[in-house]
Amino acid sequence: MDLAHTPQEEEFRARLRRWLAEVLPALPSKPPPDDWPARRAYDLGWQRRLHDAGYADVHWDASPTTRLIFLEETERAGAPYVGAGFVGLLHAGPTIAAEGTAAQRARWLPPILRGEEVWCQGFSEPDAGSDLAALRTRARRDGDDYVVSGSKIWTSHAEVADWCELLVRTDPDAPRHRGISWLAMPMDAPGITVRPLRTLAGSAEFAEVFLDEVRVPVANRVGEENDGWRVTMVTLSFERGTAFVGEVVACRRVLGELAARARENGRWDDAALRRRLGRLNAEFRALWRLTQWNVGEAGSTGGVPGAAGSLFKLRYSHARQELYDTAADVLGPESLDLDRPWVLDRLSSLSYTIAAGTSQIQHNIVAERLLGLPKGR
Amino acid sequence: MRLQPTGDQMALRDGTRALLARRFGPRALRAAVREPGRLDRALWRALGDAGFFALRLPEAGGGVGLGLPEAVLVFEEAGRALLPGPLVATHLAAGRVPGAATGETVVTDVGGCGLVEWLARADVVRGDAAGAEPLRSADPLTPLHRAPAAVEADPAAVLLTAAEQLGSATRLCELAVQHARTREQFGRPIGTFQAVQHLCAGMLVRTQTARAAVHAAAVTADPADIHTARLLADEAAVRGARDCLQVHGGMGFTWEFEIHLHLKRTWVRTYRAGPATQSEEFLAADLLAGTP
């Protein structure tokens, strides 16, 4: 039981801190949220800088503790988050690294790490959400190509992506989980139509993607044909295990700002509100400890965190919503003004108990995989 | 960085669990409930021999020379086993009150809300218990007095109490899962129903989060970490008792089953560290200190 870092880890932190202090002041200002090409350029530019400074593959190759330090320090310094690089760096990239051939790794990984190519995710479908294995997008073999038809939904960054990690049904007669394959689909292929979807927060954060006889080379399949479900599970556990580290640090900063704001506007004198803020402080401190706990586990087992990530996500997504509901309590009627800080965050926090597996599905995973309860109905 | 116990620490925890299974198993628990107010002095001395009270005293002074991380694991076992008596007060008195370290002297104290546990059976009372009035205690295994003057609880007492809560939370989650796996209704184990699964999953989420907070606080001994551990462990234990009872249905509502003993003990422990609002206020003020 200890929280000590090795001299190498401390050295990594110090070097990173010096570098961030050097480069961040010269960084251009963030583009407006609805300017997608500018957002793409900004996010890729940041990844390029990380690459050139030697931090390109920190999400993959570093030890879990080093990755934790990286996410902690970059968030603390106010550095940009992965943004448009999310799927490439945290989904598709790790999947290709784990399951791809040497040629596939050589083709796709360097451009992700250099900040040259953006990936999006084509998993969910209108009729396959929580029940992802019900997906129906069909891939028919035709010579050296698959011919893909169907539709995908909730695809972030689809408008500016170069590649899509796509789940398709390659064997409609096999049991559901055994007829799925994982393809890398070039987004400029003929037959792809992207229709942006507006979220309840007002912005077009994701899109619907329609596929009409899109030809994808068989060489773009990662893993064996019909083994895509297993390949995908590698990606999903990666997402739940490490994707929120920076956000927990950010939430703790927001909490401090909220307290300061409450003091300014007099809400601090309300004992009930003050205690709610105190409880949230406990909550996010504990979530940080839980993160450290999971990192310690990953460090000793060498594996990507699996069901433990579900446990973390359940608690975190709920805490994030409570944080921004409390922000509204601090702001009072100002919480109806979309130009105030935290108001849009409150709206987008509502996606956290749905995206990347709903809280209900996460409860099932915790019950079945961590508690060993029989498969539910 | 690793918040999980080391091999030595796990051996200590297993040893404590084995000792408590031998000396305070299900039969001893039932006997204790039948004779409320009796404190088993022989068991107390056995705990003393095992180093339960002298755990954090330096080896030069006859102690075991271990720290808060080890103490937290040992107290988690005490909480899990529902071990009765003013364990935390005696542990804290070791090295200060003669005989406390060896288990010969039973020490109680005035808690954060003015509650005094086991006053009539203790040899020594720390704090001002003058004018303390007896309560008809809700917990059959913790006789209670209420003193007019409350004192601020020692941070170590707050943390060790959180560790006991964690022990209850862990045990309650296990009991609920065991029952959900074996109890059949509608022709199948009730653990196949999502409504029941989600109750159990929620218990584990709260318990694991509390565990991370308790272990971290044991490492840092930082006051904000200790208050955090306390709030999280109280929540995991108190709500865990509720949900465990719910999963057991009518059986959970009976006197025979151990759930109500955990439920009532978790309630007692929530007051030992002082009102929860104190911890909340501390952590609210901590936000303004600019430390997050």
mmCIF file of all heavy atoms in Angstrom, chain A residues 3-37:
data_model
loop_
_atom_site.group_PDB
_atom_site.id
_atom_site.type_symbol
_atom_site.label_atom_id
_atom_site.label_comp_id
_atom_site.label_asym_id
_atom_site.label_seq_id
_atom_site.Cartn_x
_atom_site.Cartn_y
_atom_site.Cartn_z
ATOM 1 N N LEU A 3 1.854 5.233 -2.228
ATOM 2 C CA LEU A 3 1.558 6.186 -3.298
ATOM 3 C C LEU A 3 2.841 6.790 -3.851
ATOM 4 O O LEU A 3 2.810 7.814 -4.522
ATOM 5 C CB LEU A 3 0.638 7.296 -2.768
ATOM 6 C CG LEU A 3 -0.813 6.881 -2.516
ATOM 7 C CD1 LEU A 3 -1.530 7.896 -1.645
ATOM 8 C CD2 LEU A 3 -1.558 6.714 -3.831
ATOM 9 N N ALA A 4 3.948 6.155 -3.566
ATOM 10 C CA ALA A 4 5.235 6.723 -3.963
ATOM 11 C C ALA A 4 5.514 6.456 -5.445
ATOM 12 O O ALA A 4 5.083 5.456 -6.004
ATOM 13 C CB ALA A 4 6.338 6.106 -3.116
ATOM 14 N N HIS A 5 6.219 7.384 -6.061
ATOM 15 C CA HIS A 5 6.641 7.209 -7.444
ATOM 16 C C HIS A 5 8.112 6.846 -7.495
ATOM 17 O O HIS A 5 8.890 7.236 -6.631
ATOM 18 C CB HIS A 5 6.396 8.488 -8.248
ATOM 19 C CG HIS A 5 4.939 8.758 -8.482
ATOM 20 N ND1 HIS A 5 4.141 7.911 -9.207
ATOM 21 C CD2 HIS A 5 4.136 9.769 -8.079
ATOM 22 C CE1 HIS A 5 2.918 8.384 -9.245
ATOM 23 N NE2 HIS A 5 2.873 9.511 -8.566
ATOM 24 N N THR A 6 8.518 6.140 -8.554
ATOM 25 C CA THR A 6 9.923 5.809 -8.738
ATOM 26 C C THR A 6 10.671 7.070 -9.194
ATOM 27 O O THR A 6 10.050 8.009 -9.697
ATOM 28 C CB THR A 6 10.097 4.730 -9.819
ATOM 29 O OG1 THR A 6 9.645 5.283 -11.063
ATOM 30 C CG2 THR A 6 9.290 3.486 -9.517
ATOM 31 N N PRO A 7 11.988 7.094 -9.035
ATOM 32 C CA PRO A 7 12.765 8.244 -9.514
ATOM 33 C C PRO A 7 12.534 8.493 -11.015
ATOM 34 O O PRO A 7 12.454 9.640 -11.453
ATOM 35 C CB PRO A 7 14.213 7.841 -9.248
ATOM 36 C CG PRO A 7 14.143 6.818 -8.174
ATOM 37 C CD PRO A 7 12.829 6.116 -8.331
ATOM 38 N N GLN A 8 12.380 7.412 -11.806
ATOM 39 C CA GLN A 8 12.134 7.565 -13.243
ATOM 40 C C GLN A 8 10.799 8.272 -13.482
ATOM 41 O O GLN A 8 10.684 9.121 -14.364
ATOM 42 C CB GLN A 8 12.114 6.202 -13.956
ATOM 43 C CG GLN A 8 13.459 5.509 -14.039
ATOM 44 C CD GLN A 8 13.790 4.710 -12.772
ATOM 45 O OE1 GLN A 8 13.128 4.860 -11.737
ATOM 46 N NE2 GLN A 8 14.817 3.896 -12.848
ATOM 47 N N GLU A 9 9.801 7.895 -12.698
ATOM 48 C CA GLU A 9 8.484 8.520 -12.861
ATOM 49 C C GLU A 9 8.528 9.994 -12.464
ATOM 50 O O GLU A 9 7.942 10.848 -13.127
ATOM 51 C CB GLU A 9 7.431 7.765 -12.029
ATOM 52 C CG GLU A 9 7.091 6.390 -12.608
ATOM 53 C CD GLU A 9 6.390 5.467 -11.613
ATOM 54 O OE1 GLU A 9 6.233 5.824 -10.429
ATOM 55 O OE2 GLU A 9 6.014 4.362 -12.033
ATOM 56 N N GLU A 10 9.248 10.299 -11.398
ATOM 57 C CA GLU A 10 9.372 11.694 -10.962
ATOM 58 C C GLU A 10 10.105 12.518 -12.006
ATOM 59 O O GLU A 10 9.765 13.669 -12.273
ATOM 60 C CB GLU A 10 10.092 11.778 -9.611
ATOM 61 C CG GLU A 10 9.283 11.271 -8.422
ATOM 62 C CD GLU A 10 7.977 12.040 -8.177
ATOM 63 O OE1 GLU A 10 7.714 13.032 -8.887
ATOM 64 O OE2 GLU A 10 7.218 11.623 -7.285
ATOM 65 N N GLU A 11 11.123 11.900 -12.610
ATOM 66 C CA GLU A 11 11.903 12.555 -13.651
ATOM 67 C C GLU A 11 11.019 12.835 -14.874
ATOM 68 O O GLU A 11 11.050 13.919 -15.456
ATOM 69 C CB GLU A 11 13.112 11.668 -13.999
ATOM 70 C CG GLU A 11 13.732 11.828 -15.382
ATOM 71 C CD GLU A 11 14.307 13.217 -15.627
ATOM 72 O OE1 GLU A 11 14.586 13.912 -14.639
ATOM 73 O OE2 GLU A 11 14.453 13.588 -16.821
ATOM 74 N N PHE A 12 10.173 11.837 -15.223
ATOM 75 C CA PHE A 12 9.229 12.000 -16.333
ATOM 76 C C PHE A 12 8.298 13.177 -16.057
ATOM 77 O O PHE A 12 8.070 14.032 -16.914
ATOM 78 C CB PHE A 12 8.426 10.707 -16.525
ATOM 79 C CG PHE A 12 7.337 10.825 -17.563
ATOM 80 C CD1 PHE A 12 7.606 10.656 -18.913
ATOM 81 C CD2 PHE A 12 6.025 11.104 -17.180
ATOM 82 C CE1 PHE A 12 6.604 10.765 -19.864
ATOM 83 C CE2 PHE A 12 5.017 11.219 -18.128
ATOM 84 C CZ PHE A 12 5.312 11.045 -19.469
ATOM 85 N N ARG A 13 7.781 13.252 -14.835
ATOM 86 C CA ARG A 13 6.858 14.323 -14.463
ATOM 87 C C ARG A 13 7.541 15.692 -14.563
ATOM 88 O O ARG A 13 6.995 16.641 -15.128
ATOM 89 C CB ARG A 13 6.341 14.102 -13.038
ATOM 90 C CG ARG A 13 5.241 15.085 -12.638
ATOM 91 C CD ARG A 13 4.981 15.075 -11.135
ATOM 92 N NE ARG A 13 4.434 13.830 -10.618
ATOM 93 C CZ ARG A 13 3.129 13.525 -10.643
ATOM 94 N NH1 ARG A 13 2.272 14.372 -11.146
ATOM 95 N NH2 ARG A 13 2.709 12.386 -10.149
ATOM 96 N N ALA A 14 8.758 15.781 -14.060
ATOM 97 C CA ALA A 14 9.478 17.056 -14.049
ATOM 98 C C ALA A 14 9.774 17.530 -15.473
ATOM 99 O O ALA A 14 9.584 18.704 -15.814
ATOM 100 C CB ALA A 14 10.774 16.910 -13.252
ATOM 101 N N ARG A 15 10.191 16.575 -16.320
ATOM 102 C CA ARG A 15 10.512 16.913 -17.709
ATOM 103 C C ARG A 15 9.255 17.387 -18.436
ATOM 104 O O ARG A 15 9.255 18.393 -19.140
ATOM 105 C CB ARG A 15 11.110 15.670 -18.385
ATOM 106 C CG ARG A 15 11.717 15.877 -19.742
ATOM 107 C CD ARG A 15 12.769 14.775 -20.042
ATOM 108 N NE ARG A 15 12.338 13.451 -19.574
ATOM 109 C CZ ARG A 15 11.592 12.598 -20.299
ATOM 110 N NH1 ARG A 15 11.223 12.908 -21.522
ATOM 111 N NH2 ARG A 15 11.248 11.415 -19.817
ATOM 112 N N LEU A 16 8.163 16.658 -18.233
ATOM 113 C CA LEU A 16 6.898 17.009 -18.872
ATOM 114 C C LEU A 16 6.427 18.391 -18.419
ATOM 115 O O LEU A 16 5.979 19.219 -19.219
ATOM 116 C CB LEU A 16 5.850 15.945 -18.535
ATOM 117 C CG LEU A 16 4.425 16.180 -19.039
ATOM 118 C CD1 LEU A 16 4.397 16.271 -20.560
ATOM 119 C CD2 LEU A 16 3.490 15.055 -18.577
ATOM 120 N N ARG A 17 6.551 18.636 -17.136
ATOM 121 C CA ARG A 17 6.110 19.917 -16.580
ATOM 122 C C ARG A 17 6.897 21.074 -17.202
ATOM 123 O O ARG A 17 6.323 22.098 -17.566
ATOM 124 C CB ARG A 17 6.346 19.906 -15.068
ATOM 125 C CG ARG A 17 5.166 20.401 -14.290
ATOM 126 C CD ARG A 17 5.425 20.314 -12.816
ATOM 127 N NE ARG A 17 4.463 19.415 -12.203
ATOM 128 C CZ ARG A 17 4.332 19.239 -10.901
ATOM 129 N NH1 ARG A 17 5.143 19.868 -10.062
ATOM 130 N NH2 ARG A 17 3.422 18.440 -10.412
ATOM 131 N N ARG A 18 8.215 20.887 -17.308
ATOM 132 C CA ARG A 18 9.061 21.931 -17.923
ATOM 133 C C ARG A 18 8.639 22.173 -19.365
ATOM 134 O O ARG A 18 8.502 23.305 -19.811
ATOM 135 C CB ARG A 18 10.541 21.507 -17.886
ATOM 136 C CG ARG A 18 11.247 21.744 -16.571
ATOM 137 C CD ARG A 18 12.776 21.674 -16.734
ATOM 138 N NE ARG A 18 13.249 20.414 -17.299
ATOM 139 C CZ ARG A 18 13.477 19.310 -16.572
ATOM 140 N NH1 ARG A 18 13.259 19.321 -15.255
ATOM 141 N NH2 ARG A 18 13.913 18.210 -17.139
ATOM 142 N N TRP A 19 8.413 21.077 -20.081
ATOM 143 C CA TRP A 19 8.052 21.204 -21.489
ATOM 144 C C TRP A 19 6.706 21.919 -21.660
ATOM 145 O O TRP A 19 6.565 22.802 -22.501
ATOM 146 C CB TRP A 19 8.016 19.811 -22.133
ATOM 147 C CG TRP A 19 7.649 19.845 -23.586
ATOM 148 C CD1 TRP A 19 8.439 20.255 -24.614
ATOM 149 C CD2 TRP A 19 6.389 19.491 -24.165
ATOM 150 N NE1 TRP A 19 7.758 20.176 -25.801
ATOM 151 C CE2 TRP A 19 6.492 19.698 -25.562
ATOM 152 C CE3 TRP A 19 5.188 19.003 -23.647
ATOM 153 C CZ2 TRP A 19 5.447 19.438 -26.444
ATOM 154 C CZ3 TRP A 19 4.143 18.746 -24.522
ATOM 155 C CH2 TRP A 19 4.277 18.970 -25.893
ATOM 156 N N LEU A 20 5.724 21.548 -20.808
ATOM 157 C CA LEU A 20 4.399 22.173 -20.898
ATOM 158 C C LEU A 20 4.484 23.671 -20.621
ATOM 159 O O LEU A 20 3.859 24.483 -21.311
ATOM 160 C CB LEU A 20 3.430 21.509 -19.909
ATOM 161 C CG LEU A 20 2.958 20.094 -20.268
ATOM 162 C CD1 LEU A 20 2.248 19.445 -19.085
ATOM 163 C CD2 LEU A 20 2.049 20.101 -21.490
ATOM 164 N N ALA A 21 5.301 24.038 -19.635
ATOM 165 C CA ALA A 21 5.445 25.455 -19.287
ATOM 166 C C ALA A 21 6.046 26.234 -20.453
ATOM 167 O O ALA A 21 5.767 27.417 -20.654
ATOM 168 C CB ALA A 21 6.319 25.599 -18.042
ATOM 169 N N GLU A 22 6.848 25.537 -21.242
ATOM 170 C CA GLU A 22 7.504 26.165 -22.383
ATOM 171 C C GLU A 22 6.537 26.356 -23.560
ATOM 172 O O GLU A 22 6.463 27.428 -24.149
ATOM 173 C CB GLU A 22 8.621 25.223 -22.842
ATOM 174 C CG GLU A 22 9.930 25.838 -23.229
ATOM 175 C CD GLU A 22 10.914 24.698 -23.435
ATOM 176 O OE1 GLU A 22 10.985 24.201 -24.583
ATOM 177 O OE2 GLU A 22 11.575 24.280 -22.445
ATOM 178 N N VAL A 23 5.794 25.283 -23.904
ATOM 179 C CA VAL A 23 5.017 25.317 -25.148
ATOM 180 C C VAL A 23 3.610 25.887 -24.993
ATOM 181 O O VAL A 23 3.073 26.468 -25.938
ATOM 182 C CB VAL A 23 4.902 23.926 -25.814
ATOM 183 C CG1 VAL A 23 6.268 23.415 -26.203
ATOM 184 C CG2 VAL A 23 4.182 22.940 -24.910
ATOM 185 N N LEU A 24 3.008 25.739 -23.829
ATOM 186 C CA LEU A 24 1.592 26.125 -23.719
ATOM 187 C C LEU A 24 1.343 27.615 -23.943
ATOM 188 O O LEU A 24 0.370 27.977 -24.612
ATOM 189 C CB LEU A 24 1.005 25.657 -22.384
ATOM 190 C CG LEU A 24 0.759 24.150 -22.292
ATOM 191 C CD1 LEU A 24 0.130 23.786 -20.956
ATOM 192 C CD2 LEU A 24 -0.102 23.631 -23.433
ATOM 193 N N PRO A 25 2.191 28.515 -23.425
ATOM 194 C CA PRO A 25 1.919 29.942 -23.638
ATOM 195 C C PRO A 25 1.895 30.327 -25.121
ATOM 196 O O PRO A 25 1.199 31.266 -25.506
ATOM 197 C CB PRO A 25 3.071 30.636 -22.916
ATOM 198 C CG PRO A 25 3.558 29.639 -21.921
ATOM 199 C CD PRO A 25 3.362 28.309 -22.558
ATOM 200 N N ALA A 26 2.642 29.591 -25.961
ATOM 201 C CA ALA A 26 2.722 29.943 -27.384
ATOM 202 C C ALA A 26 1.631 29.272 -28.221
ATOM 203 O O ALA A 26 1.570 29.464 -29.437
ATOM 204 C CB ALA A 26 4.098 29.549 -27.926
ATOM 205 N N LEU A 27 0.768 28.482 -27.562
ATOM 206 C CA LEU A 27 -0.258 27.741 -28.291
ATOM 207 C C LEU A 27 -1.342 28.687 -28.814
ATOM 208 O O LEU A 27 -1.759 29.594 -28.097
ATOM 209 C CB LEU A 27 -0.881 26.713 -27.342
ATOM 210 C CG LEU A 27 -1.349 25.396 -27.946
ATOM 211 C CD1 LEU A 27 -0.188 24.620 -28.550
ATOM 212 C CD2 LEU A 27 -2.053 24.576 -26.886
ATOM 213 N N PRO A 28 -1.808 28.507 -30.072
ATOM 214 C CA PRO A 28 -2.898 29.361 -30.572
ATOM 215 C C PRO A 28 -4.162 29.127 -29.745
ATOM 216 O O PRO A 28 -4.291 28.101 -29.085
ATOM 217 C CB PRO A 28 -3.093 28.890 -32.017
ATOM 218 C CG PRO A 28 -2.488 27.536 -32.081
ATOM 219 C CD PRO A 28 -1.394 27.500 -31.058
ATOM 220 N N SER A 29 -5.102 30.075 -29.796
ATOM 221 C CA SER A 29 -6.309 29.921 -28.984
ATOM 222 C C SER A 29 -7.225 28.884 -29.619
ATOM 223 O O SER A 29 -7.161 28.608 -30.821
ATOM 224 C CB SER A 29 -7.029 31.258 -28.828
ATOM 225 O OG SER A 29 -7.385 31.731 -30.101
ATOM 226 N N LYS A 30 -8.077 28.314 -28.757
ATOM 227 C CA LYS A 30 -8.960 27.213 -29.180
ATOM 228 C C LYS A 30 -9.956 27.693 -30.239
ATOM 229 O O LYS A 30 -10.538 28.763 -30.097
ATOM 230 C CB LYS A 30 -9.749 26.732 -27.962
ATOM 231 C CG LYS A 30 -9.234 25.447 -27.371
ATOM 232 C CD LYS A 30 -10.280 24.878 -26.417
ATOM 233 C CE LYS A 30 -10.194 23.386 -26.409
ATOM 234 N NZ LYS A 30 -9.712 22.796 -25.213
ATOM 235 N N PRO A 31 -10.202 26.909 -31.300
ATOM 236 C CA PRO A 31 -11.174 27.320 -32.324
ATOM 237 C C PRO A 31 -12.597 27.208 -31.775
ATOM 238 O O PRO A 31 -12.831 26.479 -30.822
ATOM 239 C CB PRO A 31 -10.945 26.312 -33.447
ATOM 240 C CG PRO A 31 -10.338 25.128 -32.802
ATOM 241 C CD PRO A 31 -9.582 25.616 -31.610
ATOM 242 N N PRO A 32 -13.578 27.910 -32.417
ATOM 243 C CA PRO A 32 -14.968 27.807 -31.974
ATOM 244 C C PRO A 32 -15.473 26.376 -32.139
ATOM 245 O O PRO A 32 -15.046 25.676 -33.072
ATOM 246 C CB PRO A 32 -15.708 28.773 -32.900
ATOM 247 C CG PRO A 32 -14.793 29.052 -34.032
ATOM 248 C CD PRO A 32 -13.402 28.844 -33.539
ATOM 249 N N PRO A 33 -16.385 25.923 -31.260
ATOM 250 C CA PRO A 33 -16.787 24.512 -31.229
ATOM 251 C C PRO A 33 -17.464 24.023 -32.508
ATOM 252 O O PRO A 33 -17.429 22.837 -32.794
ATOM 253 C CB PRO A 33 -17.749 24.429 -30.036
ATOM 254 C CG PRO A 33 -18.046 25.835 -29.638
ATOM 255 C CD PRO A 33 -16.970 26.702 -30.179
ATOM 256 N N ASP A 34 -18.059 24.929 -33.321
ATOM 257 C CA ASP A 34 -18.744 24.417 -34.518
ATOM 258 C C ASP A 34 -17.888 24.500 -35.779
ATOM 259 O O ASP A 34 -18.339 24.169 -36.866
ATOM 260 C CB ASP A 34 -20.091 25.135 -34.731
ATOM 261 C CG ASP A 34 -19.959 26.635 -34.533
ATOM 262 O OD1 ASP A 34 -18.809 27.091 -34.346
ATOM 263 O OD2 ASP A 34 -20.984 27.342 -34.564
ATOM 264 N N ASP A 35 -16.641 24.943 -35.636
ATOM 265 C CA ASP A 35 -15.737 24.988 -36.786
ATOM 266 C C ASP A 35 -14.928 23.691 -36.830
ATOM 267 O O ASP A 35 -13.815 23.607 -36.322
ATOM 268 C CB ASP A 35 -14.810 26.209 -36.681
ATOM 269 C CG ASP A 35 -13.970 26.393 -37.938
ATOM 270 O OD1 ASP A 35 -13.906 25.444 -38.761
ATOM 271 O OD2 ASP A 35 -13.377 27.476 -38.099
ATOM 272 N N TRP A 36 -15.495 22.661 -37.460
ATOM 273 C CA TRP A 36 -14.877 21.335 -37.424
ATOM 274 C C TRP A 36 -13.497 21.269 -38.057
ATOM 275 O O TRP A 36 -12.586 20.688 -37.454
ATOM 276 C CB TRP A 36 -15.822 20.301 -38.040
ATOM 277 C CG TRP A 36 -16.772 19.829 -36.999
ATOM 278 C CD1 TRP A 36 -18.061 20.190 -36.837
ATOM 279 C CD2 TRP A 36 -16.456 18.952 -35.920
ATOM 280 N NE1 TRP A 36 -18.594 19.588 -35.725
ATOM 281 C CE2 TRP A 36 -17.626 18.818 -35.146
ATOM 282 C CE3 TRP A 36 -15.310 18.258 -35.531
ATOM 283 C CZ2 TRP A 36 -17.675 18.028 -34.010
ATOM 284 C CZ3 TRP A 36 -15.349 17.466 -34.398
ATOM 285 C CH2 TRP A 36 -16.529 17.356 -33.657
ATOM 286 N N PRO A 37 -13.304 21.842 -39.277
ATOM 287 C CA PRO A 37 -11.955 21.774 -39.860
ATOM 288 C C PRO A 37 -10.912 22.432 -38.945
ATOM 289 O O PRO A 37 -9.812 21.911 -38.781
ATOM 290 C CB PRO A 37 -12.109 22.543 -41.178
ATOM 291 C CG PRO A 37 -13.560 22.431 -41.517
ATOM 292 C CD PRO A 37 -14.285 22.435 -40.205
#
